[in-house]
Amino acid sequence: MTVLQEQRAASSPWEGIRIGATGMLGLAIAMGVGRFAFTPMLPLMLEHGQVSIRSGALMASINLAAYLVGALTGATVRTRHWVLLVAGLGLCSMSVMAMGLTRNLMLWVALRAIAGVASAWSLIGLTHWSLARLTAIHANAWRGFVFAGPGVGIAASGLLVSGLDAIHWHPDTIWVALGLLSCGGGVFVASRTRDGLPRSSAEGRTTERDGVQLRLPKALLIVAYGLAGYGYITIATFLPLVVRERLGIGSVGAALWPLLGLAAALGAIGLGLLPGHHNTRLLAGSYLLQAIGVIAPELRAGVHSLMVSAILVGGTFMVIVMVTMHEAKSRYRETSLIAWLTASYALGQMVGPYAAALILQGTHSFALALEFSSVALFLAAILTLVEHALWRKHDSLRRIQA
């Protein structure tokens, strides 16, 4: 963009809406469909005898492991972010559609791996483009709408899967429909992001503020974030199956999954609109609320506890991600720390589904898996508070010495 074009964009109140909506749609495709459409699809594939719990958990874990690979390669590859964005959305859409064109388990595993890498690439490209553009036109309030994308995608894909299953569409056909819709949306997003980044959005050099005193708090932040990845992923992967186990019916689970997505979208939007919202107490509180949400189905049987679970887990999902990244950048100012946080979160997500499947196989219940997840989130809240106390102590000493 030229300087004149940037000035015109900044003067238009609709430009922030356009950028926010484009980023939202892109992340809805990459995350809501590419990563999380598998959750409402898994019960249907189980009903049709296409997969077992263990093979389904394997596909979920492989997808999350591939997401880690995509995050690390996407953060280091030397290419334009628009190329990364387009490649990610294209591969994501095609891999989703291809799920309905084969019945081979190993091909399904490979396709879920491709979707994992592609969704990470899309996330990196879209967030870089949208946040840089919003910063350039001083419209950062719209960043919450960008990060509402995963929740919107979860809600939309969940409702679509439920609706198509209600009219007796086969899972293969539903996969193809999701892929075709994602392709159409991906083409639209690619066309709206070709204008590139404003020159003023180039990242400045980061300053290294390390030392023995900061190693422990950084390690605690990384471990807490990894526990968060492990803590939420059991519900995020198996919520419809948990509902079926508790109530014996699948229709409620089909409705609660979109509710989780809607809560995630509203949480991200609300966080983006609140001034001065990034702080440790909010982060620790979000961990605690998510821990309660994860264990809620065990505390009291019934549809209301499952609704509480969907709302609390969904509503804190993107809040934890956004606040953790902001706190890491503002305190430590290290690009490498973001990569370590991403790796830790992805590792927790990768372990969670397979561990839950093994527990289910041994106990014939999700109860123990949910309890472990809730404990992990409680520990994350404690570690976050300890990390903040250590960082404040170091920061106070640094200011006195200065």
Side-chain angles (χ1 to χ4, degrees):
M1 293 180 72
T2 66
V3 174
L4 181 59
Q5 286 174 324
E6 289 178 29
Q7 290 175 344
R8 287 176 178 172
S11 64
S12 172
W14 295 104
E15 184 64 10
I17 298 175
R18 184 186 76 84
I19 296 169
T22 301
M24 178 190 289
L25 176 60
L27 290 184
I29 295 168
M31 306 296 288
V33 178
R35 281 193 64 192
F36 289 115
F38 184 73
T39 297
M41 287 298 300
L42 180 57
L44 306 186
M45 297 174 76
L46 286 167
E47 285 181 3
H48 285 78
Q50 295 179 321
V51 295
S52 65
I53 284 287
R54 192 163 185 172
S55 59
L58 173 63
M59 284 190 278
S61 292
I62 289 295
N63 176 262
L64 294 164
Y67 178 79
L68 169 59
V69 174
L72 295 177
T73 56
T76 57
V77 69
R78 294 185 177 182
T79 186
R80 290 177 57 199
H81 282 87
W82 185 78
V83 175
L84 201 64
L85 183 160
V86 172
L89 289 178
L91 286 172
C92 189
S93 302
M94 297 303 293
S95 63
V96 168
M97 182 166 58
M99 288 289 292
L101 302 178
T102 182
R103 297 287 181 86
N104 186 282
L105 177 61
M106 295 311 298
L107 283 178
W108 273 341
V109 170
L111 289 170
R112 293 311 295 156
I114 292 171
V117 172
S119 61
W121 286 357
S122 302
L123 175 68
I124 293 169
L126 281 161
T127 53
H128 185 82
W129 175 83
S130 57
L131 297 185
R133 290 295 310 276
L134 289 172
T135 299
I137 65 172
H138 307 290
N140 285 324
W142 291 100
R143 66 186 182 275
F145 286 79
V146 175
F147 287 103
V152 170
I154 287 171
S157 62
L159 290 171
L160 181 63
V161 169
S162 178
L164 295 179
D165 177 55
I167 58 175
H168 308 295
W169 280 36
H170 193 275
D172 293 347
T173 310
I174 298 176
W175 275 119
V176 172
L178 289 170
L180 289 173
L181 288 173
S182 297
C183 283
V187 170
F188 175 81
V189 171
S191 68
R192 301 294 287 180
T193 55
R194 287 198 66 180
D195 53 357
L197 293 170
R199 295 176 183 176
S200 60
S201 67
E203 293 182 2
R205 295 181 178 179
T206 58
T207 59
E208 190 75 13
R209 191 170 68 181
D210 203 347
V212 176
Q213 300 93 333
L214 286 179
R215 290 177 186 172
L216 179 56
K218 283 189 294 185
L220 293 177
L221 189 66
I222 291 169
V223 172
Y225 200 50
L227 289 171
Y230 174 84
Y232 96 95
I233 197 62
T234 301
I235 284 291
T237 303
F238 297 117
L239 178 60
L241 295 180
V242 172
V243 173
R244 183 166 299 182
E245 178 187 89
R246 295 294 182 272
L247 303 180
I249 54 176
S251 58
V252 177
L256 288 182
W257 179 244
L259 178 63
L260 185 147
L262 178 61
L266 293 176
I269 292 172
L271 188 67
L273 294 176
L274 286 175
H277 53 268
H278 299 293
N279 58 68
T280 300
R281 284 181 295 179
L282 176 60
L283 181 58
S286 296
Y287 280 136
L288 292 175
L289 287 174
Q290 194 168 96
I292 295 170
V294 167
I295 201 64
E298 291 302 308
L299 298 177
R300 185 170 183 176
V303 67
H304 292 99
S305 64
L306 291 164
M307 289 180 64
V308 168
S309 179
I311 292 171
L312 290 182
V313 174
T316 55
F317 167 44
M318 289 309 300
V319 172
I320 288 172
V321 173
M322 293 171 67
V323 176
T324 297
M325 291 302 174
H326 181 273
E327 294 292 272
K329 289 179 181 179
S330 63
R331 292 180 194 169
Y332 303 106
R333 301 177 186 176
E334 294 178 28
T335 303
S336 61
L337 179 58
I338 303 302
W340 280 108
L341 286 167
T342 302
S344 179
Y345 196 72
L347 181 62
Q349 292 180 108
M350 182 176 65
V351 172
Y354 205 66
L358 292 176
I359 293 171
L360 178 64
Q361 189 177 39
T363 65
H364 305 289
S365 172
F366 281 105
L368 191 58
L370 295 178
E371 290 168 6
F372 283 163
S373 296
S374 183
V375 169
L377 289 162
F378 274 111
L379 288 175
I382 294 171
L383 292 180
T384 297
L385 294 173
V386 174
E387 176 269 331
H388 181 62
L390 291 174
W391 176 82
R392 285 192 63 182
K393 180 179 179 181
H394 172 78
D395 192 55
S396 298
L397 290 173
R398 183 183 62 81
R399 291 175 183 275
I400 292 173
Q401 293 171 356

